Amino acid sequence: MAKGDPGVTTRGRRAAPRSKPKATASTGDPELVQLLTPEGERIESAFGPDGTEYRVGFTDEEYRGLYRDLVLVRKLDAEATALQRQGELGLWASLLGQEAAQVGSGRALRPQDMAFPTYREHGVLYCRGIDPIMPLGLFRGVDQGGWDPNEFKFNMYTIVIGAQTLHATGYAMGVAMDGKTGGDEGEAVIAYFGDGATSQGDVNESFVWASVFNAPLVFFCQNNQYAISQPLERQTRVPLYRRAGGFGFPGVRVDGNDVLASYAVTRHALDNARHGQGPSLIEAYTYRMGAHTTSDDPTRYRIASEVESWQAKDPIARMRAFLTKQQIADESFFAEVDAQARAESVDLRERVLAMPDPEPLTLFDHVYPNGSPELDRQREQFGTYLASFEGSAH
Ligand SMILES: Cc1ncc(C[n+]2csc(CCOP(=O)(O)OP(=O)(O)O)c2C)c(N)n1
Ligand SMILES: [Mg+2]
C-alpha cells in the first residue's frame, strides 16, 4: 500500500495564486493536472486552476505498490466480466480504463475517511481492504453486498444514480457536527459519481448543501465520457469541474488515467476537508474502455478510433513505462505481479462458483427491520408456491 507523501501543496487553496496556472509540459492543457504522461515521463509538479501546486514523493516501493494495485484490480475486473459471460453473475459493471482514478483516490484516503461509491468502484473497494469477492455476491444475486460499511469505511454500492452524494453530504455534515474535523486526525468523506450523474437533481442538491454547511466532503466525479450511450456533450457545455465555482467551492480536473496525479489531487482535497475547509469537486478525466455493463453494446454508439485513441493513454502502460525508465522495477517484478494477479483471479473464480444459493424465502428478511403484516402475507404466499413444486417432475 502506498503511504507516500501526500500531494504536497505550496499554498492553501483560498489564498491568492502565487503564480498563474501553468500548462503541463506534455499536454499543454492548463485545465488538466498531470504528473505522469502517457509515455511514462514524470512531471515534477502541476498547478490546479486556483494555483495550488500538486506533487508526490513516493518511495520506490510505494510506486511499485501502486502498479501492483492497478494490475490486480484490472485482472479481477476482467475475471468478473468473464464470470458474467459464463452465466455465473447476473450483471457486471466493469472499471476497465478507470483503474488509476480509483486506485489513486482510494489510496489517498486515510483510514478514518468514509467513502460512498456507485456500482463501479471495485478499485476503491480493493484499496479499502475489502475482499473483492464481496461485490460479486451482489451481482450474482446471492446477497445484498456483504461488507460492513462501518468496519471498512466504505458504504454499500448505490445503483440509483447520484443518490449516494446525498447520503455522503448528510454523513459529512454529521462528521462536522460531531466535531470530528480540524487537524490531521480529522475525518473527511468522499462521494463517487459519474459524468451522467452531474445532471441529476440529487447531485446538484448535494453541492448546495455541502457548500452552505461547509461539509468535509470531496465530490469525486469520474468523467468516463459516457452515461451508458449518452456522451458527455449531452450533460454539459462547460468542463464539469468548473461547475463547482457556481456552488461556491473549488473544482479541479485531474488526468484520471494518471494514478500519481489522481492521488495528489484527492489527498489535497481530503486534507482540506478534514481541516475544516469545506467541500471540493474533482473531475477525474478518464475513459470507460469497456461496455457500460455486460448488458450494453458500445459498438452501437461509439467508433473504434475513439477507443483506440484512449488506449494510448492507458493508466497501467504509462506506470510500467515510468517504472522501467526509472529502473524502479524490472521484468521479474512485472512477471511476479502478473503471477499474483492470475492466482488471485483463479481464487476469486473458485470462490464465486462455490457460493451457496440463498434460501428463496430469505428474500423477505431485510425489507424492513421489524417486518410487516403485508410482508408476512407475501412470504406465506411465496412459501405455498414453492411447496407446490415439491415432488413434482419440475
Ligand atoms: C436515478 C436513476 N436513473 C437512471 C438510472 C439508469 N442508469 C444506470 S447507469 C446510468 C448512467 C450513469 O452514467 P454516469 O453517471 O456517467 O456513470 P457511469 O456508469 O458512466 O460510471 C443510468 C442512466 C439509474 N440507475 N438511476
Ligand atoms: Mg459516465
Side-chain angles (χ1 to χ4, degrees):
M1 166 167 179
K3 295 194 197 77
D5 190 354
V8 175
T9 56
T10 53
R11 52 172 213 81
R13 65 171 168 80
R14 302 227 191 260
R18 192 186 55 172
S19 60
K20 271 179 80 90
K22 275 194 248 170
T24 55
S26 67
T27 62
D29 182 354
E31 293 197 308
L32 190 76
V33 174
Q34 187 182 65
L35 295 175
L36 189 62
T37 72
E39 295 74 35
E41 299 293 342
R42 272 286 271 117
I43 297 165
E44 192 51 35
S45 74
F47 290 87
D50 66 354
T52 298
E53 185 179 11
Y54 297 100
R55 58 174 73 232
V56 288
F58 289 113
T59 64
D60 287 357
E61 198 184 334
E62 287 164 344
Y63 279 127
R64 288 191 291 268
L66 288 170
Y67 176 83
R68 188 184 298 275
D69 288 341
L70 294 171
V71 171
L72 286 172
V73 300
R74 175 171 293 184
K75 181 70 176 168
L76 293 171
D77 182 75
E79 192 62 45
T81 299
L83 282 162
Q84 194 284 332
R85 289 294 183 237
Q86 292 157 10
E88 298 296 343
L89 302 181
L91 184 78
W92 185 249
S94 169
L95 61 59
L96 186 63
Q98 298 176 220
E99 297 87 352
Q102 295 200 14
V103 168
S105 61
R107 288 298 183 209
L109 291 165
R110 296 189 192 271
Q112 68 269 28
D113 297 339
M114 179 62 108
F116 286 80
T118 71
Y119 42 78
R120 206 186 290 286
E121 265 67 76
H122 323 305
V124 186
L125 174 138
Y126 187 88
C127 292
R128 291 265 85 182
I130 297 173
D131 185 338
I133 192 86
M134 290 298 178
L136 277 73
L138 186 67
F139 283 102
R140 191 173 165 87
V142 298
D143 60 42
Q144 275 98 25
W147 64 90
D148 178 351
N150 286 321
E151 182 186 352
F152 294 100
K153 298 291 227 170
F154 184 83
N155 265 265
M156 303 314 293
Y157 277 4
T158 301
I159 310 245
V160 182
I161 301 300
Q164 74 284 358
T165 62
L166 287 175
H167 310 156
T169 301
Y171 188 93
M173 287 167 62
V175 167
M177 287 172 193
D178 287 347
K180 290 182 180 162
T181 53
D184 293 343
E185 300 310 310
E187 288 183 26
V189 181
I190 189 165
Y192 288 89
F193 55 101
D195 45 293
T198 62
S199 298
Q200 288 289 114
D202 285 6
V203 173
N204 289 273
E205 289 160 15
S206 299
F207 286 172
V208 172
W209 280 71
S211 177
V212 300
F213 285 95
N214 205 42
L217 178 56
V218 176
F219 291 104
F220 194 92
C221 176
Q222 283 170 88
N223 175 2
N224 64 7
Q225 314 298 329
Y226 287 92
I228 315 185
S229 59
Q230 291 300 300
L232 181 68
E233 62 260 27
R234 286 286 169 273
Q235 313 291 347
T236 189
R237 292 285 173 111
V238 297
L240 289 174
Y241 79 90
R242 287 204 220 152
R243 291 223 185 135
F247 290 92
F249 52 87
V252 58
R253 177 185 275 177
V254 64
D255 183 343
N257 285 15
D258 170 355
V259 69
L260 306 182
S262 295
Y263 178 96
V265 166
T266 312
R267 179 50 78 88
H268 177 68
L270 287 167
D271 283 347
N272 275 342
R274 84 178 74 261
H275 281 98
Q277 293 188 56
S280 51
L281 170 65
I282 296 171
E283 177 191 0
Y285 202 75
T286 181
Y287 193 76
R288 196 198 73 210
M289 294 300 292
H292 169 69
T293 66
T294 46
S295 297
D296 171 46
D297 173 10
T299 61
R300 293 176 63 136
Y301 56 83
R302 66 185 191 187
I303 52 172
S305 60
E306 181 186 296
V307 182
E308 280 159 22
S309 75
W310 278 91
Q311 247 148 16
K313 301 177 190 170
D314 185 81
I316 298 183
R318 74 174 71 179
M319 194 62 181
R320 183 172 174 142
F322 162 68
L323 294 178
T324 305
K325 272 185 219 172
Q326 297 299 315
Q327 299 185 340
I328 296 171
D330 57 15
E331 286 306 315
S332 68
F333 169 76
F334 297 128
E336 183 258 306
V337 172
D338 287 345
Q340 183 187 349
R342 270 195 306 277
E344 288 198 18
S345 64
V346 168
D347 176 62
L348 188 74
R349 161 172 293 268
E350 286 172 358
R351 289 191 294 143
V352 167
L353 299 185
M355 275 179 168
D357 284 344
E359 283 299 320
L361 285 175
T362 58
L363 187 71
F364 300 92
D365 285 355
H366 302 291
V367 180
Y368 298 118
N370 303 313
S372 80
E374 170 60 17
L375 213 54
D376 291 345
R377 204 182 55 76
Q378 288 182 16
R379 184 188 289 107
E380 198 185 316
Q381 207 176 38
F382 191 52
T384 310
Y385 173 72
L386 290 174
S388 71
F389 294 108
E390 273 168 24
S392 76
H394 178 77

